[in-house]
Amino acid sequence: MSAADQMLRAYRRMMARSGEQVMIRRGEGSAGRNIGVRARVTTFDAHEVVGDIVQTDTKLIVMAEDVTFDPPFQKGDRVMMHGRTLAIVGPPNDKTRRVGGVLIAYEFAVRG
């Protein structure tokens, strides 16, 4: 089993234990489309508050295999969770959660 396969299995276990279902929304009104994704919802550590990130933002780690939009993220996409609609802050990071060139998960901030 490759390192990427091992990491993907580990992420799936983590999401099963501590993840939750959130919706990513693309578009407006009846033309809008929602997809449900598994996400780990957490806060940013002080050393992660850089650039556009502020202490009150929420960090989401989303399984890449759940994101069926093409392209995966666009400006204006939103996240719906805990009864609120939140804006995605900046483009999701698809670099730090790759193993052997395989994208395992996206990491990004939401605000609202």
Side-chain angles (χ1 to χ4, degrees):
M1 180 180 296
S2 73
D5 290 334
Q6 291 175 10
M7 187 60 69
L8 181 58
R9 291 177 75 175
Y11 267 75
R12 286 176 180 152
R13 284 191 304 273
M14 178 208 36
M15 289 296 179
R17 281 192 316 270
S18 60
E20 60 186 87
Q21 195 75 8
V22 302
M23 300 295 284
I24 298 177
R25 172 123 179 119
R26 176 167 289 170
E28 300 291 333
S30 61
R33 186 171 148 227
N34 297 330
I35 58 171
V37 297
R38 296 170 287 173
R40 174 108 166 45
V41 180
T42 186
T43 58
F44 284 95
D45 292 330
H47 72 277
E48 296 176 296
V49 178
V50 295
D52 292 338
I53 306 297
V54 296
Q55 192 68 47
T56 55
D57 289 341
T58 300
K59 181 194 316 185
L60 268 68
I61 300 167
V62 172
M63 295 295 295
E65 64 190 10
D66 290 348
V67 181
T68 57
F69 287 138
D70 185 27
F73 291 92
Q74 289 182 195
K75 186 174 182 162
D77 288 349
R78 297 167 311 284
V79 173
M80 295 178 293
M81 63 182 209
H82 307 157
R84 298 174 32 209
T85 301
L86 307 168
I88 296 173
V89 178
N93 183 338
D94 66 354
K95 309 260 185 302
T96 59
R97 298 187 186 269
R98 284 183 186 270
V99 176
V102 176
L103 178 60
I104 305 295
Y106 294 99
E107 179 179 317
F108 56 94
V110 294
R111 180 181 301 156

